[in-house]
Amino acid sequence: MTDFVELDSVDWRILEELQNDATLANRTLAERVGLAASTCLQRVRRLREQGVITGSHIDVDPAATGLPLEAVVSINVRPHTRAVVDSFREFVMSQSETRSLLHVSGQADFLLHVAVADSAHLQSFLVDKLSARTEVRNFTSSIVLEQVHTRALTPPQHLRPTRRRRT
């Protein structure tokens, strides 16, 4: 787990801009956050070194790739041991249908987000792959009707920095 890193208002602005568009050129980013390009580059490097920025990615529309049906599957495994959890995670993450996996507390042990071609593909995944696993005690699936998400993690109001760190 990463240690807490103190971020100032400029750091948060950099993070917000990069979360919305990780392909921004440094010069454009610097202009948007009000820094010299060299200072902006230093800050981005520091945020990477401190583990705040852990990578960049692109978003792909599953429907545009022939996988228009998405579902969330709530899964319980037994026994809930480290070995079973690790093995199950490895299996699920190796499946082409998997978009993301959350190991959670509460009623389910895992929440699995999948993208498939159609309901027959979903049924095949659930029956032939998921239920075939001996550690899977039960599961329920829900079709995703709409997905709405934010692009940028922003600080809660009480954590919003009011000062600018000196670089």
Side-chain angles (χ1 to χ4, degrees):
M1 184 166 203
T2 305
D3 291 331
F4 175 76
V5 175
E6 185 179 341
L7 302 173
D8 68 14
S9 58
V10 175
D11 292 330
W12 276 109
R13 288 179 60 208
I14 290 170
L15 292 173
E16 190 168 4
E17 290 292 339
L18 289 176
Q19 286 177 95
N20 285 321
D21 184 357
T23 65
L24 278 178
N26 183 63
R27 179 177 304 235
T28 304
L29 177 62
E31 289 171 6
R32 289 187 183 177
V33 301
L35 293 176
S38 60
T39 303
C40 187
L41 187 59
Q42 274 183 320
R43 281 187 177 247
V44 171
R45 282 184 181 148
R46 181 180 47 78
L47 291 167
R48 285 186 189 281
E49 289 166 2
Q50 292 175 323
V52 175
I53 297 175
T54 58
S56 358
H57 73 279
I58 60 167
D59 288 324
V60 175
D61 179 1
T65 66
L67 302 170
L69 182 65
E70 295 183 74
V72 176
V73 186
S74 302
I75 305 163
N76 288 98
V77 297
R78 290 293 177 264
H80 199 147
T81 63
R82 174 61 62 192
V84 168
V85 166
D86 290 348
S87 172
F88 182 73
R89 180 188 316 111
E90 185 176 330
F91 162 75
V92 168
M93 295 310 295
S94 71
Q95 302 307 303
S96 63
E97 294 87 353
T98 298
R99 300 227 37 215
S100 64
L101 177 68
L102 299 168
H103 186 193
V104 298
S105 64
Q107 197 167 14
D109 297 322
F110 291 94
L111 296 176
L112 172 62
H113 180 197
V114 297
V116 293
D118 52 31
S119 61
H121 185 179
L122 179 61
Q123 181 185 23
S124 174
F125 175 79
L126 296 173
V127 173
D128 299 334
K129 292 182 178 180
L130 196 58
S131 68
R133 300 289 298 189
T134 59
E135 70 269 33
V136 174
R137 188 175 112 216
N138 60 51
F139 62 85
T140 58
S141 61
S142 300
I143 302 297
V144 174
L145 300 175
E146 179 182 26
Q147 182 180 29
V148 180
H149 59 88
T150 180
R151 296 260 188 239
L153 175 68
T154 57
Q157 190 62 40
H158 72 284
L159 292 178
R160 291 183 193 269
T162 56
R163 63 181 176 77
R164 183 172 171 168
R165 177 194 340 257
R166 301 188 130 206
T167 55

